[in-house]
Amino acid sequence: EAQVTQNPRYLITVTGKKLTVTCSQNMNHEYMSWYRQDPGLGLRQIYYSMNVEVTDKGDVPEGYKVSRKEKRNFPLILESPSPNQTSLYFCASSLSLGLALSEQFFGPGTRLTVL
Amino acid sequence: AQKVTQAQTEISVVEKEDVTLDCVYETRDTTYYLFWYKQPPSGELVFLIRRNSFDEQNEISGRYSWNFQKSTSSFNFTITASQVVDSAVYFCALSEVNTGNQFYFGTGTSLTVIP
């Protein structure tokens, strides 16, 4: 089944404790992206990657890191989480069609709480 | 400035009524894509439509229709004969091709269909 998987689905942690949220897709998509969803703010893009070893900042990259060493994986790293990073996080992937993209397929989301 | 504006935060309609969700976007790119996604109460993000900037034809898919007007930078979504299952948050999004396919989502419109 074609899908985007994220782990963990739920995470409660404390300020300053490094964490990684994994994202993996099995559709051979070139483009992958991370978003955070907060009430009243919609989805905001954190980082995106057009292909392996290529990453770009989205609208809200501060406090996050990503890497794209393999096409299928795009982990999101919070080196020193803070309470303002409490949010619902979505990973997504899409196929590159030349310069354009197909629709994005989203993972199920990761609910992160930072105390 | 917000690149994608969904001015309607919440809408309630009675079942079988028609409802239009507004989306206004802002871009200087000549090549861009517009999307609509649905997020039902279960939380997943479901793709509805993708439209490129060169195709202003309206599209109809069952009870759903989309009206794209470049002159007013709008990409509105109409649900005809609404049903309870249409209750969800709907997001409009913009992707600019020539600036690297960064995605911009609106803040969403929460639609409640009352039986």
Side-chain angles (χ1 to χ4, degrees), chain A residues 31 37 45 48 99 101 104, chain B residues 37 39 50 100-103:
Chain A
Y31 186 96
Q37 182 178 8
Q45 194 171 40
Y48 59 102
L99 292 176
L101 299 174
Q104 288 189 91
Chain B
Y37 281 85
Q39 187 176 42
R50 166 181 176 269
N101 280 305
Q102 186 168 349
F103 268 80

Side-chain angles (χ1 to χ4, degrees), chain B residues 1-2 12-13 16 23 26 35 43 53 57 74 93 104:
Chain B
Q2 194 75 357
S12 290
V13 298
K16 296 184 184 173
C23 174
E26 179 186 330
F35 302 80
S53 53
Q57 278 194 349
S74 65
Y104 304 93

Side-chain angles (χ1 to χ4, degrees), chain B residues 78-89:
Chain B
T78 297
I79 303 174
T80 303
S82 59
Q83 300 176 0
V84 172
V85 293
D86 296 327
S87 296
V89 179

